[in-house]
Amino acid sequence: MTEIYLAENHLLLKTGYGNPEMHSHSACHVLVGLQGDMRVITEKETVMCRGAILPSGMVHTVESFGEPLLVFMFDITSTVSERMLSFTVLEEQAAEGVAMSYQMLAAGDPEKDYRRFFREIMGRIGIKEVGSRITDERVLLAMRFAEEHLQDEVTAKEAAGAACLSESRFSHLFKEQAGIAFSSWLVFRRLFCAYMRVADGESITDASLAAGFSTPSHFATVNKKMFGITARDLSGDYCLHRIADI
């Protein structure tokens, strides 16, 4: 069964890897095999390992040999993304520790115990602080405006106007602060919004439209491309947990 954990700045999946095609997206990854090694394939190399870190934008795929994986996906605007700048194979002991910690989480109360689990996992991979890498108040204001108007298909021009910036100045500042274009970040946030709404009990159709996708099929296509999760995964046997602020 697919398990989905939703926090404000990241998504955790426990799932079979559903996208064997080579692909890339803005999220940074931590991948860990729950029961054994996986094969991580990038444009430059192929590696057998128990766990790995993949930076934003890296073209990749994973073969899990039918076994479940843990897949952490971090918003590029989080401080975690600043530490994940290159493809890194996790030490076997660290990856095994992540897998064991997850098994303990799954056996307990996931929503209650998730914060402790997450802090432990970040420690195992050498990341001490998790927060936003955005420091410019104008960019933060524009981001808040965009979050509040996802259903209205907000544009970079509108977000810039909310922060009293020209579109070109805002686009430059956003790329400088976040490391990606505003439009790429917006897609990621729309997916998160849709997931949050599903977690709150909305149907996939209502949630995807409220998050600014033109149709449920548009959401399904983007979701498959970004997270490797199909519409079938979300309409079948899955469990979605909404996590309070970490």
Side-chain angles (χ1 to χ4, degrees):
M1 179 175 68
T2 297
E3 298 274 350
I4 305 171
Y5 301 82
L6 292 163
E8 187 59 32
N9 59 11
H10 74 275
L11 176 81
L12 169 61
L13 309 174
K14 189 226 71 175
T15 183
Y17 204 72
N19 190 355
E21 299 177 358
M22 296 289 282
H23 64 287
S24 68
H25 40 70
S26 61
C28 306
H29 278 34
V30 177
L31 304 170
V32 173
L34 277 177
Q35 298 176 10
D37 286 354
M38 58 189 170
R39 181 182 288 117
V40 182
I41 304 168
T42 72
E43 290 182 308
K44 296 183 178 180
E45 58 187 318
T46 298
V47 178
M48 286 290 295
C49 60
R50 185 68 184 272
I53 293 173
L54 280 73
S56 170
M58 173 169 278
V59 178
H60 69 281
T61 191
V62 178
E63 296 176 359
S64 63
F65 310 108
E67 300 296 339
L69 296 179
L70 288 183
V71 184
F72 288 90
M73 299 183 185
F74 291 92
D75 188 328
I76 190 63
T77 64
S78 73
T79 53
V80 174
S81 66
E82 295 181 300
R83 300 289 302 277
M84 297 181 180
L85 299 178
S86 62
F87 176 58
T88 305
V89 174
L90 295 178
E91 294 183 1
E92 181 72 20
Q93 184 176 4
E96 175 68 21
V98 171
M100 291 180 62
S101 294
Y102 178 78
Q103 300 292 6
M104 293 176 63
L105 175 74
D109 184 335
E111 296 181 23
K112 178 181 177 182
D113 298 336
Y114 190 87
R115 294 188 199 183
R116 175 189 53 77
F117 161 78
F118 183 73
R119 287 194 295 268
E120 181 179 333
I121 298 310
M122 291 297 97
R124 289 185 182 278
I125 64 177
I127 294 175
K128 296 181 179 180
E129 296 182 3
V130 179
S132 175
R133 62 189 285 187
I134 308 298
T135 58
D136 192 296
E137 288 295 333
R138 296 166 296 178
V139 176
L140 289 170
L141 179 61
M143 291 169 68
R144 286 194 292 270
F145 173 83
E147 293 268 12
E148 293 168 358
H149 295 83
L150 289 177
Q151 187 174 13
D152 302 326
E153 300 185 12
V154 62
T155 65
K157 183 177 181 179
E158 291 168 335
C164 299
L165 292 169
S166 68
E167 183 178 358
S168 60
R169 178 57 177 158
F170 168 67
S171 297
H172 175 79
L173 273 177
F174 191 92
K175 184 69 178 291
E176 183 181 74
Q177 293 260 305
I180 59 169
F182 174 74
S183 58
S184 298
W185 170 81
L186 196 58
V187 169
F188 198 82
R189 296 313 302 174
R190 280 185 171 134
L191 285 170
F192 260 71
C193 176
Y195 272 70
M196 290 290 188
R197 286 177 173 274
V198 171
D200 287 340
E202 292 188 22
S203 69
I204 294 175
T205 295
D206 289 344
S208 59
L209 294 176
F213 293 97
S214 56
T215 63
S217 62
H218 180 211
F219 163 74
T221 298
V222 176
N223 191 47
K224 179 67 164 61
K225 181 179 179 181
M226 288 285 287
F227 296 156
I229 301 175
T230 65
R232 182 178 179 180
D233 292 328
L234 284 177
S235 59
D237 191 17
Y238 76 96
C239 185
L240 200 157
H241 310 275
R242 184 167 183 174
I243 307 301
D245 291 344
I246 300 297

